[in-house]
Amino acid sequence: MKRRLAALLICAFVPVARAETVEIRIDNFTFSPAEVHVAPGTTVVWVNADDIPHAVAATDKSFRSKVLDTEERYSRTVAGPGTIEYFCSLHPHMTGRVIVDGGGGQAAGR
Amino acid sequence: MPKQTSEIDHGRRRALKCMAWAGTGLAWTMAGGVPFTTGLVGGAQAAPVPVPVPATGLTFAQISDSHVGFDKPANPDALATLREAVAGIRGLPNQPAFVIHTGDISHLSRDEQFDAADQALKELGLPIFFVPGEHDVLDDGMGAAYLARYGKGPNGKALGAGWYSFDHGGVHFIALVNVLNLKAGGLGNLGEDQLAWLADDLRAVADSAPVVVFAHIPLWTVYPDWGWGTDDGARALGLLKRFGSVTVLNGHIHQILQKVEGNVAFHTARSTAFPQPAPGSAPSPGPMKLPADKLRGALGVTTVSYRPKSGPLAVVDATLA
């Protein structure tokens, strides 16, 4: 599963996934990809690849991860459809977006 | 009295020009309401530049960003370098009356990290006044652990998320909290309650009283792309406009930056744990990884240059030597 996901993410230049799991890496104080389209029921996994802790918090306060130290991860299954805006509660200039729409759309992430 | 003012300016300029310190803490002296640095801390790397300290002056030290618990390559032992900063302050010829810690005491708000930091800081044998950094409010209670430990403030007066004020040696000190209720896409945040309290607190303070404000995240906008600033910091500074001497001491950015704007002098302190890059000089503000033999040099040696008080709005970058 993981291999399939990795292959999918590597091969696809747009972070579009029909897989059941999508990984968002936190690297250099950036969510990457910053915007991702996923199908309802997808598990989104944030992995902190920085030497500094981060945390994932929904802008509407509907969820908030514990602090993630280096290589720690937080996962959340998204129901959707809809858009989940989130940010790092330690470094709020870090923002990201998960769009739950069937996963077929073009991502505009950085 | 113009003569007095001129003497103060001269003293300030001279102090700032001469200022050089090695070590991981700063010591501040108040003379005529204008703070300047005095001596140096942990001075193994460079010769001290003596600055005369008036017998009547008030000296206090600032420690910031000790990040106890941090063990990444940039500094595998942040507790050890905090201890070195403490030892350096203890070795100052002019002992400070107290110490302020401008936040990020711990790295992950864990009890054992706060415990270790407290043990190290206790060696100072001095009163310590804290404000939290964003790393100190990561517990499930979003700051409850910090408040339980440090929330009393002087005389049991800390309010809200831990803000307070006190007077010492004719100086009015204000401790602000700008690391809570941060908003997506935003910077540091003081909030309405704290700003209302600040306005009220200042009402009884005379215009002529020197004011020192300290908080973790810079109250001025240093570099918003990296979150280095406080969204409503300008409102706090607006309340301080009528005072003749205001000094704003911050941490968070792990390097010395300084600017003087009108009667307000802004300073950010070094970390005792690891350096961070100058604004915009790296892909991110993450810890700067240096060879082990360079770490203490990067933490400890800085030159601060002076810009005249009447000069244009300016941020003075200090190089990371």
Side-chain angles (χ1 to χ4, degrees):
Chain A
M1 180 66 237
K2 261 193 174 164
R3 192 174 299 161
R4 189 184 136 206
L5 170 65
L8 184 70
L9 288 179
I10 288 163
C11 295
F13 285 102
V14 289
V16 168
R18 291 183 188 282
E20 291 159 16
T21 302
V22 165
E23 187 176 286
I24 296 173
R25 287 187 75 75
I26 307 173
D27 201 3
N28 273 332
F29 288 66
T30 305
F31 294 108
S32 183
E35 183 173 298
V36 63
H37 288 253
V38 300
T42 301
T43 298
V44 180
V45 183
W46 286 267
V47 184
N48 182 11
D50 266 342
D51 274 358
I52 280 289
H54 296 290
V56 180
T59 303
D60 68 3
K61 298 186 177 175
S62 57
F63 65 87
R64 173 175 171 261
S65 77
K66 285 187 183 300
V67 63
L68 307 176
D69 203 356
T70 305
E71 292 307 326
E72 288 185 335
R73 51 186 61 214
Y74 171 67
S75 61
R76 194 168 179 82
T77 301
V78 295
T83 298
I84 299 163
E85 308 269 1
Y86 65 90
F87 67 110
C88 170
S89 58
L90 279 82
H91 314 101
H93 66 285
M94 297 168 54
T95 58
R97 181 181 293 163
V98 175
I99 300 167
V100 189
D101 62 355
Q106 179 79 24
R110 284 186 288 174
Chain B
M1 297 194 357
K3 186 168 178 281
Q4 195 180 15
T5 306
S6 149
E7 278 169 2
I8 289 167
D9 283 354
H10 177 75
R12 176 194 191 87
R13 188 168 300 122
R14 182 162 160 261
L16 288 167
K17 264 188 187 165
C18 295
M19 199 195 310
W21 63 84
T24 47
L26 300 186
W28 295 93
T29 290
M30 304 291 298
V34 179
F36 55 86
T37 59
T38 175
L40 76 166
V41 171
Q45 293 96 355
V49 180
V51 175
V53 179
T56 54
L58 162 67
T59 300
F60 65 100
Q62 179 185 8
I63 293 178
S64 200
D65 298 86
S66 42
H67 284 265
V68 168
F70 182 85
D71 58 2
K72 302 297 185 292
N75 182 354
D77 192 351
L79 181 59
T81 44
L82 172 61
R83 287 200 180 111
E84 289 170 30
V86 166
I89 290 172
R90 289 188 65 187
L92 282 174
N94 303 296
Q95 272 299 286
F98 57 84
V99 172
I100 62 170
H101 191 304
T102 41
D104 286 356
I105 306 155
S106 74
H107 192 54
L108 294 167
S109 304
R110 292 182 182 151
D111 279 341
E112 66 270 23
Q113 297 174 349
F114 284 131
D115 284 343
D118 288 349
Q119 282 298 317
L121 292 167
K122 209 159 75 177
E123 295 296 313
L124 287 164
L126 296 167
I128 308 171
F129 300 107
F130 294 91
V131 287
E134 75 279 5
H135 286 255
D136 300 320
V137 294
L138 297 172
D139 57 309
D140 288 341
M142 297 167 87
Y146 171 87
L147 276 182
R149 203 177 277 258
Y150 307 103
K152 270 191 177 171
N155 313 315
K157 278 184 183 169
L159 300 164
W163 59 78
Y164 56 90
S165 68
F166 63 98
D167 293 286
H168 195 115
V171 180
H172 190 61
F173 288 85
I174 300 166
L176 299 179
V177 179
N178 58 359
V179 296
L180 284 165
N181 301 316
L182 305 183
K183 291 167 190 69
L187 307 173
N189 173 61
L190 293 163
E192 293 301 330
D193 288 355
Q194 190 168 201
L195 286 165
W197 167 83
L198 177 61
D200 191 52
D201 177 78
L202 291 170
R203 218 157 269 152
V205 184
D207 294 0
S208 57
V211 176
V212 171
V213 182
F214 59 104
H216 178 64
I217 299 174
L219 287 173
W220 43 299
T221 304
V222 174
Y223 195 66
D225 287 358
W226 285 358
W228 290 359
T230 301
D231 278 328
D232 48 6
R235 289 177 61 193
L237 297 170
L239 295 168
L240 294 159
K241 273 208 169 104
R242 69 178 169 89
F243 295 94
S245 163
V246 178
T247 302
V248 179
L249 304 176
N250 299 122
H252 186 59
I253 66 173
H254 296 213
Q255 62 196 288
I256 292 168
L257 291 185
Q258 171 182 295
K259 77 165 179 171
V260 177
E261 191 179 333
N263 292 333
V264 186
F266 298 86
H267 301 265
T268 58
R270 291 190 163 288
S271 165
T272 67
F274 55 87
Q276 281 178 267
S281 68
S284 82
M288 286 176 72
K289 296 182 195 74
L290 298 170
D293 63 335
K294 294 273 167 59
L295 171 64
R296 280 162 179 78
L299 289 177
V301 181
T302 292
T303 302
V304 177
S305 58
Y306 176 74
R307 290 280 175 98
K309 283 166 79 177
S310 57
L313 207 143
V315 174
V316 180
D317 288 83
T319 55
L320 298 169

